Every structure is written in C-alpha cells, then in structure tokens.
Amino acid sequence: MTRLEELISQAENIVIVGHTNPDGDCIGACLAVYNYIREQYAAKKVTVRLEPVPAKFAYLSGCDRICSVPSGRSRADLCICLDSADKERLGKFAVCLEKAAYSICIDHHVTNPGYARENIIAPHASSACEVLYECLDESRISKKTAECLYTGIIHDSGVFKYNSTTARTMEIAGKLMEKGIDFGAIIDDSFYRKTYRQSQIMGRALLESITFLDGKCVFSVIRRKDMEMYGVDKSDLDGIVEQLRLIDGVECAIFLYEVGNLTYKVSLRSKYIVDVSKVAAFFGGGGHVRAAGCTMTGDFHDVINNLSAHIEKLLDGNPEDEENPHD
Ligand code: 5GP
Ligand code: MN
C-alpha cells in the first residue's frame, strides 16, 4: 500500500484541493483521486473543492460534484493538495488545509516548499497526474479515474511534447490507454477544440502581437474591453501563449490579460534558453523552466518593459540549460 492509500484508509472525512484558476492537470488530479476514493473506499466522505472549472472538462467523472466554496464547517481528517506549488496558490481553499487534522501534498513544481504535513514532490514529472498515478494502485485504477489522469498528463505536457515528457510519462499514458479510455476524444475535446469565440480572440491576440529583441521575444495583451467585446472569459484564452511560442525564431513568449484595473495575469513560455520560472518568481509568481506565470500591476507598457529587461539578461543563456531538458 502506498503512503497516500495508507492516509486515505485512516481518514473518514477527506477534502481535495488544487490551485486557483485550475487547469487540466489540477482538475484531472483532483477528480482522479476523488473517483479512486469513491470507488475503492465507498464509505469515506470525500469532497473536491476548487474554483469553477471550464465547461470543456464536464466529461470528467465527478466534475458536477465539485464544490466551489471553501467552507465545510466540519474539519477534514485529511486534506489532499494537488498541483499547487505553494499554500498561497490554494487561494480561498487554503483554509481547508489549515483546518484539516492531517495533510498531504502531491505535486511536480520545483519551487514547492513542502507546505503540507507530508509532501510527495517530483519536480521532473510531467504533471501532478503523473506523480499521483505513482501513488495509486495501478490495478485498481478505473476507466473513469484513467480519463482524469490522462487529461492531466496531456494538458501539462502539451500532448506529450514539452521536455518534461519522459519515457515514464509515455509508459503511464500507455497503461491508462489500456483502461479503455477514448484518448483521441480526450485530446481533441479538452485540448484542441475551440469555440468560435475562442478562435476569434486567439486570432485577435496573434494579429496584435509584437515581436521584440530581434524577434526572439513576442508579446500580446488582451484587455478586459476586448474580452467583453468577444464575450469571452479567462478560460477562453488557453492556448494563446503556446501559439505565440511556436512562432519561428521566438525563444520567449509573453501573454498578458487584464484581470483588474492596471493588473495583468502574465503567462510565459520559452523554447530552449530562458528559464521563465526565474522570471515569474522574480515578479512573485512561479512555475516551470519552460512555462511559468505571475500577476503584475501597472500600465501594460511598464509590465512589458519590466519583463523584457529581465528576459534579456537570461537570453544570453547558459548553454548547459539546453542540455538539461528536465530542469
Ligand atoms: P499558465 O501560464 O498556463 O497560467 O501557467 C504556467 C505555469 O506557471 C503553471 O505550471 C502554473 O502552475 C504556473 N503559474 C502560473 N501563474 C502562477 C502564479 O501566479 N504563481 C505561481 N507560483 N505559479 C504560477
Ligand atoms: Mn501541473
């Protein structure tokens, strides 16, 4: 029995939490462990508490049972934290961790300080779902749980292409395929499929993007008035930064969207050289070497200037970085 299962079997009342603005990996991991507990430990009381999740994840079993309020007057015996690099990223759900009698964090962020009572952090893993898979009994993973895990892995690995993808990632994906999941539909429906409005806003962001530092960097910004005009919200902006990153010659892509007055959510991506987790961490955020984010305040020109000054220093690069794809 793995340590996670030991803790589950000792608890009666379990709460599962993830990070704010939950993405495919976070949602997949939370629902995977939720389904696993419901199937294997039917007597336990288990709740997933997360911010509202994008409609495209509705196919995941248990998605309609997610509770979006932190409350829960009863204190849980065990809080399972997934894919959140630090306690602050749990947002309003940090209270669930604070109140719980015991806690375990399962994550893959190198910056994770180990904020729960027990922490299983694998910084080289493609996704929190990959780390979680290793904590479950493979033979008891159902098709529903496999769908959740597979969703998380494809989202955080960019469908197996980011260099956090390893032979082990592919092995696990293979094991999950053997559970009978419709992997093609999962990839298309949750990763590539776009509504007309999502396509329009991406088109707008690409059209208005600006390259700088000799074409090695590109940025684009979407303001609240643009989002209102196209009738989209932040969850409709997925994939834009990745499309910017793909531009020929670009090493580092920056995508900003306005979340409040003079406040921008920043997404950073790089190809080979710039460690964007360092850039994001400098501005109070975090993430991974090739994908990171933060929130910044000020006029957007100042935000871009501050970011570009920082990126420029890292662009000279350390050739060793290129040889160490799993950093
Ligand atoms: P995205 O650009 O897709 O929002 O985020 C990319 C990566 O950066 C993800 O792994 C995410 O967890 C991390 N990230 C994004 N925003 C923040 C932030 O504000 N703080 C921290 N610590 N990590 C972030
Ligand atoms: Mn993740």
Side-chain angles (χ1 to χ4, degrees), residues 23 25 83 108-109 127-128 156 288:
D23 58 7
D25 186 29
D83 199 35
H108 69 128
H109 289 93
S127 51
D156 256 28
H288 309 283

Side-chain angles (χ1 to χ4, degrees), residues 141-196:
I141 291 176
S142 68
K143 181 179 167 190
K144 284 179 184 170
T145 302
E147 284 167 349
C148 299
L149 292 170
Y150 192 85
T151 297
I153 292 173
I154 61 151
H155 275 261
D156 256 28
S157 68
V159 192
F160 309 114
K161 75 171 182 177
Y162 299 150
N163 45 22
S164 57
T165 308
T166 62
R168 182 65 184 148
T169 314
M170 304 310 281
E171 264 169 32
I172 294 170
K175 293 280 185 198
L176 297 173
M177 285 163 75
E178 283 172 0
K179 302 285 178 181
I181 62 172
D182 188 346
F183 48 90
I186 292 176
I187 293 172
D188 258 352
D189 293 349
S190 77
F191 197 86
Y192 289 113
R193 186 162 56 101
K194 292 209 174 293
T195 62
Y196 180 56

Side-chain angles (χ1 to χ4, degrees), residues 19 21 23 83 85-86 89 108-109 111 156 241 265-269 284-288 291-295:
H19 59 75
N21 218 354
D23 58 7
D83 199 35
D86 50 54
R89 286 268 288 161
H108 69 128
H109 289 93
T111 50
D156 256 28
V241 70
K265 179 75 197 161
V266 180
S267 280
L268 300 167
R269 298 291 186 273
H288 309 283
C294 56
T295 299

